[in-house]
Amino acid sequence: MKRQDWMTDAVYAWDLLEEQSRLRTLKRKQLSGNRALILVKAQDPLTIPDGKPGPEYTERLEEALAIKASLEAKGMKPRFLCVGGVHDESGVSLAEAGRAWLLAHGVDDFDIETQEVIFSGNDEDRIAAIRFDELGDRYRELHVVLSAGQFERCRMYFIYAGWQPTMHPITFVDDDPRHHTTRELWGPWAIPAFAEGPARIEAETEKIRQKHLAAANNS
């Protein structure tokens, strides 16, 4: 990749990362595997007291089912990754709430994986990237269902982690969404932190994790 004259060292480093992640993703798509991993990014709050997904989370799960149908029509075999810990007094983890919803809508238990101890969006993306690595060449595609408001940060984190998944953003307007584009673009924990490099990304991720842990412990 040729460096353009307006690029700082940090920007050029990201440019190289983006190209590397693109080529790596393209190589995986050209392999003969027929499996796909669908990350459904979780969202609190759950409904109380039954611990079922709330409206924003439900929209993502509904989109995940539509993706499943589309993939199966192409001969692919999708697997879901549901993530997230306990966030409220329901005592139900976000991962388990997602799993239960998918089971109730006809998904086989074998096709659902859960990761419960996750307390930030960056953690979700990191786990999905690691699992996509671990699952190997049989898994040709990585899909991510998320809110439109967290699109930019999520995409940047996946580039950082070495992949460019197919993104499926949901625009949720029925209530105050949990993610806002303005905050993701200009909040110090999001894109500005990414511009400073890996050490800052990890530091901000840890801050978010501790914030969520504290909130869970006080619920």
Side-chain angles (χ1 to χ4, degrees), residues 99-195:
R99 175 181 173 276
W101 190 97
L102 291 170
L103 288 172
H105 288 78
V107 178
D108 192 292
D109 189 42
F110 177 79
D111 293 324
I112 307 171
E113 178 179 347
T114 58
Q115 294 278 352
E116 295 198 358
V117 188
I118 297 172
F119 285 97
S120 85
N122 291 351
D123 284 332
E124 295 174 349
D125 304 337
R126 176 178 56 82
I127 290 296
I130 290 171
R131 288 299 291 139
F132 198 57
D133 281 326
E134 292 173 342
L135 290 167
D137 293 349
R138 293 178 302 129
Y139 279 75
R140 196 169 72 205
E141 296 184 13
L142 174 59
H143 295 257
V144 179
V145 185
L146 71 165
S147 76
Q150 64 187 155
F151 182 97
E152 288 80 7
R153 174 159 58 106
C154 179
R155 179 168 167 79
M156 290 295 285
Y157 197 92
F158 270 107
I159 287 171
Y160 168 64
W163 297 106
Q164 290 194 28
T166 302
M167 310 284 274
H168 303 269
I170 301 300
T171 300
F172 180 75
V173 296
D174 294 348
D175 201 348
D176 181 19
R178 304 289 280 180
H179 299 90
H180 295 256
T181 300
T182 51
R183 299 173 194 179
E184 297 294 326
L185 287 176
W186 293 297
W189 68 89
I191 301 304
F194 280 64

Side-chain angles (χ1 to χ4, degrees), residues 32 42 63 67 76 89 96 99 102 108 138 158 177 208 215:
S32 58
E63 177 67 11
I67 296 165
M76 300 284 288
E89 60 269 30
E96 183 55 35
R99 175 181 173 276
L102 291 170
D108 192 292
R138 293 178 302 129
F158 270 107
I208 297 169

